[in-house]
Amino acid sequence: MASATEHREPKHREPRPCEPRPCEPRPCEPRSYEPKPSDVLERFLRYVQVDSQSDPDNESETPSTPAQHDMARVLGEELRALGCEDVVVDGHAYVTATVPASAGAEGLPALGLCAHIDSTVDAPAAGVRPHVVHYEGGDLVAGVIDGTEVSTSSDQVPDLGQFVGQDIVVSDGRTLLSADDKAGVAEICALVARLGDDPSLPHPTLKIAFVPDEEIGHGAALLDLDKFGAAWCYTVDGEALGEFNYETFNAAEATVRVRGVMVHPGSAKDVMVNAITVAGEFERLVPAFERPEHTEGREGFYHPIQVRGTASEVTLTYIVRDHDASRFEGRQQVLRDIAAFLNGRHGEGTVTVELREQYRNMSEAFGDCPFLIANALEAHREVGIEPKVVAVRGGTDGSQLSLRGLPCPNIATGGYNAHSVREFVPVRSLELTVDLLERLVGKFSVPQS
């Protein structure tokens, strides 16, 4: 990690430094209105308007995009204005800060809260224009693009009917909303503001971390855990309100390279090995029904995500996922076995497979601290949310942090349709998540056992 310069600020509240950009009228806005925003809503609407999409084609640099520096600077200013101590915005767009403990909890282990600042590349993410819809049933319309409604139906999101009569934040339909994970960022900052406004609320020392490039598998890799100083941590990076995660996929990326033998096609018989043809053979041998579109729950998969090349050389990229460690190893072996079979047919060295582990199932990390799970479940119930423990079909920064020695379950943000222009988050879910975090940190204001 590059050296960071620490900034110490007095504990006082300054005017918030980042005002929302005004939204120009959009075709959907007759269905929108302007409610008086709560603190978390006001923060969320501002944060999503700061571009911060990551770039998987530049993953050798951290952050992978200059825009993430802009988001990091905004959050550094926000945390200083909230009176946080030890605020650091480093050269890799990591933002860290300390919230001092409440009276009587100063000697207890510090608790971390973490969210990521980048947005996915799976949908357009530049120029996010959020607005609030008062949902009255039927399809939830984000916007009208070229005469076509961008909407979500209850068939697509069965929970939608729960939100009739509520305010819901959507984009204008041209971009994702970036609730993944700026909802988590806003909820953490709103919690910090609430604790500053009411010193009677109990909590241990809190260590805040906002990290870049989670969407491309980097996430908290450069977070110096000794310097961070938390004994335990929670990410705030889930989806539907009430979902709680302490199990994720095991994850690997597979790079398959196919090298052909090229000669003039007029004299190619028994000599040419066309890399495109062999790559097609490889793809057909990967189990067809063990793909994301055919799996759910605890079923793992192989997912081809990129193909590029020519008749001379082709590169295929897959991601491999499974919750079970032995099945995860077995899936990687299947890809090696396919390569060996094709090399036997076309010649040694025609196909190579390179596997890179991305993260592990974080459930391995909680044997010595079951209270992390118990406290979170209890905090949900105390604010009227019945928790639902879900094994994540993906990963969080907590996957990486847990296996590095910082146990880190995941709290939901309340969002839906992540990685889509139909992404949305109910306002009440944002607000309840802040209530949940308040109860949760309060449980760490006494010794844990």
Side-chain angles (χ1 to χ4, degrees):
M1 175 181 278
S3 62
T5 301
E6 296 190 352
H7 303 272
R8 298 184 180 269
E9 299 291 335
K11 298 181 184 177
H12 66 278
R13 303 290 300 279
E14 298 175 359
R16 294 182 179 118
C18 177
E19 295 299 325
R21 300 197 301 261
C23 292
E24 298 173 1
R26 291 291 182 185
C28 61
E29 290 201 358
R31 298 185 63 183
S32 304
Y33 78 116
E34 295 296 330
K36 183 178 180 180
S38 59
D39 181 61
V40 66
L41 174 60
E42 186 270 338
R43 291 176 187 281
F44 177 66
L45 293 175
R46 287 191 289 113
Y47 297 162
V48 299
Q49 294 182 70
V50 182
D51 294 346
S52 59
Q53 192 173 41
S54 49
D55 181 3
D57 293 329
N58 193 37
E59 62 181 357
S60 62
E61 293 187 30
T62 305
S64 61
T65 54
Q68 291 181 76
H69 284 295
D70 297 335
M71 187 67 206
R73 281 191 290 268
V74 167
L75 292 174
E77 293 170 0
E78 298 269 305
L79 293 171
R80 293 184 195 109
L82 290 171
C84 291
E85 298 180 351
D86 306 323
V87 177
V88 176
V89 180
D90 78 4
H92 295 293
Y94 280 69
V95 184
T96 54
T98 299
V99 179
S102 61
E106 297 89 345
L108 294 171
L111 178 68
L113 294 172
C114 178
H116 66 87
I117 65 174
D118 64 316
S119 302
T120 183
V121 296
D122 290 346
V128 175
R129 305 182 66 84
H131 64 114
V132 179
V133 171
H134 188 70
Y135 179 61
E136 297 176 346
D139 290 352
L140 174 64
V141 179
V144 180
I145 306 301
D146 298 328
T148 301
E149 286 188 346
V150 178
S151 62
T152 299
S153 71
S154 56
D155 289 337
Q156 296 166 324
V157 177
D159 284 356
L160 193 56
Q162 299 176 14
F163 307 123
V164 173
Q166 293 192 28
D167 296 339
I168 299 178
V169 189
V170 293
S171 74
D172 65 358
R174 300 174 187 274
T175 68
L176 49 70
L177 180 60
S178 198
D180 179 14
D181 186 29
K182 289 176 184 172
V185 172
E187 288 156 353
I188 291 171
C189 285
L191 170 70
V192 174
R194 182 180 296 185
L195 297 177
D197 287 341
D198 186 353
S200 71
L201 294 174
H203 59 89
T205 299
L206 299 180
K207 297 291 186 175
I208 309 301
F210 297 132
V211 302
D213 286 337
E214 188 268 355
E215 296 291 0
I216 62 172
H218 171 88
L222 296 182
L223 184 64
D224 185 326
L225 298 187
D226 291 335
K227 197 171 182 180
F228 186 51
W232 313 291
C233 190
Y234 290 91
T235 49
V236 186
D237 187 23
E239 296 187 70
L241 186 70
E243 291 187 359
F244 176 63
N245 319 117
Y246 58 89
E247 185 172 10
T248 60
F249 274 141
N250 296 290
E253 181 182 76
T255 302
V256 180
R257 292 186 174 86
V258 183
R259 295 173 176 83
V261 176
M262 293 309 298
V263 296
H264 190 283
S267 55
K269 186 176 181 179
D270 299 329
V271 178
M272 178 184 288
V273 178
N274 189 310
I276 296 173
T277 302
V278 178
E281 292 182 60
F282 189 99
E283 167 62 9
R284 287 191 296 273
L285 289 169
V286 176
F289 288 97
E290 297 181 29
R291 307 296 178 100
E293 58 267 38
H294 303 303
T295 60
E296 61 182 355
R298 294 182 59 82
E299 297 169 336
F301 57 73
Y302 308 87
H303 180 30
I305 58 172
Q306 188 177 64
V307 57
R308 59 182 182 272
T310 65
S312 295
E313 184 168 344
V314 172
T315 300
L316 300 163
T317 305
Y318 291 81
I319 59 173
V320 183
R321 303 289 191 262
D322 209 296
H323 292 96
D324 181 86
S326 62
R327 289 198 300 266
F328 176 60
E329 296 301 326
R331 289 186 183 282
Q332 295 176 78
Q333 189 58 46
V334 164
L335 299 182
R336 296 187 190 100
D337 291 345
I338 293 172
F341 171 77
L342 292 175
N343 285 334
R345 174 181 287 183
H346 299 291
E348 192 61 36
T350 301
V351 181
T352 60
V353 176
E354 178 184 338
L355 288 151
R356 178 176 68 87
E357 186 175 286
Q358 295 172 301
Y359 55 84
R360 301 287 299 185
N361 187 338
M362 66 182 180
S363 66
E364 303 171 19
F366 300 111
D368 295 331
C369 45
F371 52 83
L372 288 175
I373 297 166
N375 285 349
L377 298 178
E378 186 176 351
H380 277 81
R381 296 188 179 104
E382 288 178 359
V383 296
I385 304 168
E386 185 55 38
K388 180 181 180 183
V389 176
V390 176
V392 183
R393 289 180 61 77
T396 70
D397 284 309
S399 308
Q400 185 183 94
L401 292 171
S402 294
L403 272 297
R404 288 176 58 199
L406 180 61
C408 191
N410 188 46
I411 302 291
T413 64
Y416 290 84
N417 286 345
H419 295 215
S420 164
V421 295
R422 294 169 174 81
E423 186 180 17
F424 70 89
V425 59
V427 173
R428 186 61 182 142
S429 296
L430 291 169
E431 294 166 346
L432 277 171
T433 301
V434 182
D435 295 342
L436 165 63
L437 292 174
E438 177 195 321
R439 293 297 185 99
L440 180 58
V441 301
K443 294 183 181 302
F444 289 85
S445 64
V446 296
Q448 303 298 304
S449 59

